[in-house]
Amino acid sequence: MADLVSILDGNTFVVSDERGDIEASSTDPTGLFSFDTRFLSRWVLTIDGQRLNALSTDDLNYFEARFFLVPGTGTVYVDSKLSVIRKRNVAEGFHEELTILNHDDKPVELTVRIDAGNDFADLFEVKDALDKQGKYETRVEPERLVLSYVRETYQRGTAISSSKPAAIDKEGLTFDVRIGPGGSWTTELDVMTTLLASGQPRALPKVRSVGRNVKTTMQTDLARWLDAAPRLQCDSETLGLTYRRSLVDLAALRFSPLTAGRRSLPAAGLPWFMTMFGRDSIFTSLQALPFAPELAATTLRELGMRQGTRVDDFREEEPGRILHEMRYGEMTAFEERPHSPYYGCADATPLFVVLLDEYELWTGDRKLVREFEREARAAIAWIGDYADRQNNGYVSYKRKNEETGLENQCWKDSWDSISYSDGRLAGFPRATCELQGYAYDAQMRAARLARVVWKDTVYAEELEKRAADLKRRFNRDFWIESKGYFALALDADGEQVDSLTSNNGHLLWSGIVDKSKAKSVVQHLLGPRLFSGWGIRTLAEEEGRYNPIGYHVGTVWPFDNSFIAWGLRRYGYGREAAQVAAGVLDAAEYFQGRLPEAFGGYDRSLTKYPVQYPTACSPQAWSTGAPLLFLRTMLGLEPAGEHLVVDPALPVGIGHVELLDIPGRWGRIDAFGRGRVETGKRSGRQATLTR
Amino acid sequence: MPETAAELFESLGRRGHEPLLEQAEGSLRFELENGQPQRWLVEVDKGDVVVSHANRKADATIRVDAKLFDRIVRGEVNAMAAVLRGAVTVEGDPQLLMLFQRIFPGPQGG
């Protein structure tokens, strides 16, 4: 596929080719999308019947792009008397300023044509190529072209209009244009989407062109967002670039659910996952807490309000369960897909409680913690009740929706991610180890909140007792004595799934690991089978299913590594945390500061550069958040009462680092550090543990 | 478990407090259409609920076919999916309906 250009705002986005044209087939992922529905699948510009040729394309901002074009295609040599500029920004659909310049000393007469059409595909249909059940209608009105789709009460529409008069037919707009010598011609095109905002089919708007104002608002908003974040001053150019990239990408990834008003939370990834995901929104909010704490507040609110209250096997909803994914498209509307919302995930519920506590530690916002006491208690109850699917005191998962539900309900959600050393796949239910860590941490943190905020010491003591019991059992049942690390999971028979995985690092983060076992765990994490030199692999070399470019069976995930670094610091391994941070941040340099979702698990000494894993979404929220969490772990930022403790452990190569105006319950505080930690040889093969 | 809209609203009014609605503040006006139109006004203040037939402007007005609403009340139809397909419409604050739908049961037998 040729280079695609994406611009977006919230969950409205436009994906076109480098000319700005859209020619989507039913399974092709280009077009104008909003609320998980395609609103434009054809948008092709011609001049005198000729397609255009792209000279250059600028992504001005995440919400606007500019295309410089000339007529004629296919030739290397371009000598045109005309040039064409399309400037496009997202605005309740999109707004496009089309300008044609005549460089000749004679006037020109041109037929400018825009072909338009739409299939109103659901995002799920774009993936699966399914047939539509509703009716299409195309209406030519005096000043606009209206495309619509109706299935029973479900309606979606697209209205296309122009500031210059056009001859409108059912397949597009035609302009007869005359441009004087050295002159230019411009029209402004608006493509407006209509949907069931707040459940009410909005009338197709009569007034056109709000586009320009929306753009100005978005520019101001982005400037304000960057201004509110802590300032980073550092010797490392890569770190500076990566930090700025992360903040801008995080701004782009903000998403406001229909009911959230102006508040926003991090969506999972651009552009296909611009929706609320329990797990992704929580992890990203945790990473961003020291930088943009308001994301966590919205995440907690929106997820809390949608917490499960009943048993519904199709949606895998259960009382107390936090949602996995929400969608607004046609298939969800007709209950052909369960995403209204879908609850099939085993980790978002304990992580919700973890985020609630971490949010209070940083911000001191007890009001929100009081407001969501019921939800936090319901989440804790779910952990001990519905989530214990084998009645053995461990959280496990097995889908109830066999048709469209998710098989793997942990973050490593691909089909082959949970395997034994010999490569066999574990049966269901699966009690993966990191789920027990999250459950432990959630109970410990809820106990703190119960003492400090809810003033219920009886509940606090009960939670601490349960957590201590879980920790004791876990260190007995999951620990593989002969190998010196924790099993990936317990299978349906309670047997250990014995492969070596990065999940061990999440256990450190949760604090469920006995102190006496930590050193051995750390040796494995930084040892040659897991540490590639760029980061810690999801699955260790020599395991049956290890594949350096397997999605969850050998690649290195920046998000995974950032939480592992946090865990390493929690257990006092600052040098090793710095080593992991240094590896992943070195890799960021090869991606212009934008870390991909994952990169290959090849040894660093072998490839010399990180090999990107091909995924459809970039940026990905929790990869965007990873450098932020690395900054936190390298500087050793930990809230302690009304203070922020700074305890730097920075890798030698990074030089001087200052993070200024870190927001929190202390107001604003600066943190300083200098790279003093020798992180050892750069290759994972030669990495040694000196502790 | 309520079988009809009337049973749902009357039982809610009798309880006077619904823990699942503690996040909600505002009024919902349900207009059930089909044959004899029915109107229910639910005023919520952090879980405290007053139910009436009063004809007042509300923060959210919900319009839905009465038969469909009965099916929602029995857990046969998912309310949020019905909103997405326009079978239930909300005028005003959609968050109130999102919170209110927490009290509907799930399908029988899961």
Side-chain angles (χ1 to χ4, degrees):
Chain A
M1 198 180 294
D3 279 351
L4 295 179
V5 180
S6 305
I7 53 173
L8 89 158
D9 174 34
N11 71 1
T12 300
F13 58 93
V14 189
V15 183
S16 70
D17 67 20
E18 57 194 355
R19 295 170 289 194
D21 284 345
I22 296 164
E23 288 175 281
S25 63
S26 60
T27 53
D28 180 285
T30 59
L32 161 66
F33 292 86
S34 188
F35 288 92
D36 309 320
T37 302
R38 180 149 54 200
F39 283 89
L40 202 57
S41 59
R42 186 167 176 78
W43 187 253
V44 175
L45 173 66
T46 52
I47 294 180
D48 291 339
Q50 260 197 322
R51 295 292 289 270
L52 294 124
N53 202 8
L55 290 183
S56 77
T57 305
D58 294 336
D59 290 329
L60 300 170
N61 266 311
Y62 63 80
F63 49 84
E64 58 178 337
R66 191 160 47 196
F67 309 85
F68 292 94
L69 314 167
V70 289
T73 51
T75 52
V76 178
Y77 181 60
V78 175
D79 177 21
S80 174
K81 302 288 189 195
L82 292 176
S83 47
V84 177
I85 304 167
R86 301 170 98 170
K87 198 170 164 190
R88 179 181 295 166
N89 66 279
V90 177
E92 292 187 49
F94 68 79
H95 176 82
E96 182 168 320
E97 191 182 280
L98 171 63
T99 302
I100 302 172
L101 305 167
N102 177 16
H103 306 300
D104 209 346
D105 51 13
K106 295 188 288 285
V108 285
E109 288 188 9
L110 307 166
T111 303
V112 177
R113 167 81 185 172
I114 290 180
D115 284 334
N118 190 31
D119 61 2
F120 291 96
D122 185 315
L123 267 188
F124 288 122
E125 293 169 310
V126 177
K127 289 178 189 163
D128 305 337
L130 301 162
D131 288 337
K132 300 294 278 186
Q133 298 194 30
K135 283 205 173 72
Y136 294 95
E137 198 202 338
T138 305
R139 220 165 52 240
V140 176
E141 295 184 356
E143 289 185 354
R144 58 184 193 165
L145 172 62
V146 178
L147 314 169
S148 61
Y149 176 79
V150 178
R151 176 176 166 193
E152 298 172 25
T153 46
Y154 175 93
Q155 302 172 32
R156 296 290 188 266
T158 306
I160 300 160
S161 59
S162 160
S163 63
K164 290 273 163 68
I168 302 176
D169 60 73
K170 287 194 164 187
E171 281 161 7
L173 293 77
T174 307
F175 302 88
D176 291 320
V177 175
R178 187 177 187 284
I179 312 175
S184 69
W185 175 88
T186 297
T187 187
E188 304 205 10
L189 299 155
D190 278 292
V191 181
M192 304 284 276
T193 62
T194 65
L195 54 117
L196 301 176
S198 66
Q200 179 80 355
R202 268 188 309 191
L204 294 173
K206 290 284 180 202
V207 221
R208 50 156 299 282
S209 198
V210 286
R212 196 163 284 167
N213 293 337
V214 169
K215 199 180 97 183
T216 316
T217 314
M218 289 175 72
Q219 270 160 347
T220 318
D221 169 72
L222 179 60
R224 198 180 299 139
W225 164 263
L226 292 173
D227 204 41
R231 262 180 313 125
L232 178 72
Q233 293 180 349
C234 58
D235 295 341
S236 162
E237 261 177 54
T238 305
L239 183 61
L241 171 80
T242 303
Y243 180 64
R244 190 176 162 84
R245 183 77 260 163
S246 287
L247 289 179
V248 171
D249 284 350
L250 207 51
L253 283 157
R254 285 172 302 164
F255 162 70
S256 296
L258 273 179
T259 54
R262 297 170 60 82
R263 298 190 303 269
S264 56
L265 55 86
L270 284 183
W272 307 107
F273 297 108
M274 281 311 288
T275 188
M276 198 176 356
F277 277 83
R279 177 188 304 132
D280 300 64
S281 300
I282 292 172
F283 273 131
T284 308
S285 296
L286 279 167
Q287 292 170 319
L289 250 179
F291 304 87
E294 68 276 16
L295 292 177
T298 311
T299 299
L300 289 163
R301 274 186 191 290
E302 295 302 316
L303 293 177
M305 286 192 292
R306 290 173 178 79
Q307 185 177 43
T309 55
R310 61 204 147 219
V311 174
D312 177 342
D313 290 348
F314 177 59
R315 290 172 188 79
E316 308 212 32
E317 178 175 355
E318 288 160 348
R321 198 173 198 179
I322 297 295
L323 69 87
H324 174 60
E325 178 180 356
M326 196 172 66
R327 292 290 187 181
Y328 300 93
E330 179 183 349
M331 299 187 74
T332 304
F334 285 91
E335 307 199 33
E336 293 156 357
R337 289 287 184 279
H339 298 80
S340 52
Y342 175 62
Y343 290 84
C345 109
D347 50 15
T349 307
L351 290 171
F352 174 81
V353 182
V354 170
L355 178 62
L356 186 66
D357 177 61
E358 191 69 17
Y359 171 75
E360 197 281 334
L361 286 172
W362 279 84
T363 62
D365 179 0
R366 293 193 172 175
K367 187 169 166 285
L368 188 127
V369 176
R370 271 191 290 270
E371 237 176 278
F372 284 88
E373 176 180 351
R374 163 169 296 280
E375 283 72 13
R377 285 176 185 256
I380 294 288
W382 178 85
I383 292 170
D385 185 355
Y386 291 95
D388 183 2
R389 289 174 210 283
Q390 302 175 89
N391 272 321
N392 61 358
Y394 292 119
V395 175
S396 58
Y397 59 81
K398 179 181 192 232
R399 66 176 172 179
K400 290 175 168 176
N401 176 346
E402 293 281 345
E403 218 167 293
T404 48
L406 284 175
E407 273 208 325
N408 271 319
Q409 305 195 345
C410 57
W411 86 261
K412 291 181 178 173
D413 58 1
S414 48
W415 67 277
D416 59 349
S417 62
I418 310 299
S419 65
Y420 304 88
S421 279
D422 61 13
R424 280 177 304 128
L425 293 177
F428 297 94
R430 293 172 173 173
T432 54
C433 64
E434 83 288 358
L435 296 175
Q436 320 314 320
Y438 304 157
Y440 168 78
D441 198 22
Q443 292 178 91
M444 291 299 286
R445 286 169 177 269
R448 191 192 76 84
L449 293 174
R451 264 183 225 290
V452 177
V453 186
W454 304 327
K455 309 291 181 201
D456 184 348
T457 42
V458 176
Y459 185 48
E461 279 164 17
E462 182 196 322
L463 288 170
E464 281 160 354
K465 219 177 107 207
R466 285 215 302 252
D469 176 57
L470 171 60
K471 184 171 180 173
R472 187 183 51 73
R473 288 183 290 110
F474 177 81
N475 278 274
R476 180 191 67 203
D477 298 345
F478 280 73
W479 183 250
I480 310 175
E481 186 63 45
S482 59
K483 300 188 175 186
Y485 59 80
F486 288 94
L488 169 57
L490 295 187
D491 65 16
D493 305 317
E495 297 295 322
Q496 292 178 339
V497 180
D498 59 350
S499 50
L500 172 61
T501 62
S502 64
N503 299 47
N504 275 270
H506 283 240
L507 299 174
L508 295 176
W509 171 55
S510 299
I512 198 174
V513 174
D514 278 345
K515 278 237 155 58
S516 61
K517 296 186 170 74
K519 188 174 176 186
S520 176
V521 166
V522 175
Q523 277 171 339
H524 280 291
L525 288 170
L526 277 299
R529 290 181 60 207
L530 274 178
F531 191 66
S532 76
W534 298 113
I536 294 163
R537 300 178 178 100
T538 40
L539 180 66
E541 276 188 344
E542 296 163 32
E543 295 297 348
R545 285 195 177 263
Y546 172 75
N547 171 3
I549 47 167
Y551 200 44
H552 294 118
V553 290
T555 52
V556 171
W557 287 58
F559 125 79
D560 192 22
N561 278 266
S562 68
F563 281 88
I564 295 172
W566 190 355
L568 289 165
R569 291 242 43 180
R570 179 166 182 168
Y571 277 78
Y573 292 84
R575 194 191 74 86
E576 288 74 13
Q579 187 176 352
V580 173
V584 179
L585 290 172
D586 282 351
E589 191 179 342
Y590 293 85
F591 304 111
Q592 288 75 50
R594 177 180 284 168
L595 283 164
E597 182 178 26
F599 40 85
Y602 303 105
D603 201 83
R604 185 164 176 171
S605 59
L606 183 73
T607 59
K608 309 292 184 204
Y609 61 90
V611 178
Q612 181 168 359
Y613 182 89
T615 39
C617 276
S618 181
Q620 196 89 12
W622 57 17
S623 288
T624 301
L628 304 181
L629 181 48
F630 280 128
L631 265 173
R632 173 183 173 173
T633 60
M634 289 191 300
L635 286 167
L637 306 179
E638 275 308 321
E642 298 305 312
H643 304 284
L644 180 66
V645 172
V646 182
D647 177 21
L650 289 149
V652 148
I654 214 161
H656 189 66
V657 177
E658 289 179 19
L659 191 63
L660 306 174
D661 291 331
I662 305 164
R665 61 201 301 163
W666 40 80
R668 296 257 176 184
I669 279 182
D670 303 338
F672 305 88
R674 177 170 287 285
R676 296 183 195 282
V677 179
E678 196 59 60
T679 54
K681 295 278 183 359
R682 295 187 132 203
S683 163
R685 286 242 154 268
Q686 293 142 8
T688 49
L689 197 75
T690 53
R691 193 181 171 84
Chain B
M1 207 59 89
E3 292 282 314
T4 63
E7 284 176 36
L8 174 97
F9 288 119
E10 280 161 11
S11 139
L12 184 62
R14 274 196 305 275
R15 292 204 298 282
H17 186 86
E18 171 50 62
L20 288 172
L21 298 181
E22 280 169 11
Q23 301 280 350
E25 248 184 297
S27 52
L28 301 96
R29 176 181 165 127
F30 289 86
E31 293 187 359
L32 311 183
E33 294 146 356
N34 192 353
Q36 262 187 332
Q38 288 183 55
R39 181 181 61 235
W40 295 90
L41 186 75
V42 181
E43 290 163 294
V44 191
D45 183 9
K46 295 184 178 164
D48 292 340
V49 186
V50 177
V51 177
S52 69
H53 291 287
N55 186 8
R56 275 202 295 277
K57 200 172 155 19
D59 300 311
T61 299
I62 293 109
R63 291 188 182 85
V64 52
D65 175 88
K67 285 209 177 89
L68 178 69
F69 193 72
D70 283 350
R71 297 188 63 204
I72 291 173
V73 165
R74 290 194 294 269
E76 295 164 15
V77 170
N78 181 271
M80 293 322 277
V83 170
L84 288 181
R85 64 176 182 271
V88 173
T89 65
V90 196
E91 200 184 304
D93 182 4
Q95 184 169 298
L96 280 168
L97 177 63
M98 200 191 73
L99 288 167
F100 190 83
Q101 61 83 36
R102 298 169 81 162
I103 73 168
F104 298 134
Q108 282 211 334

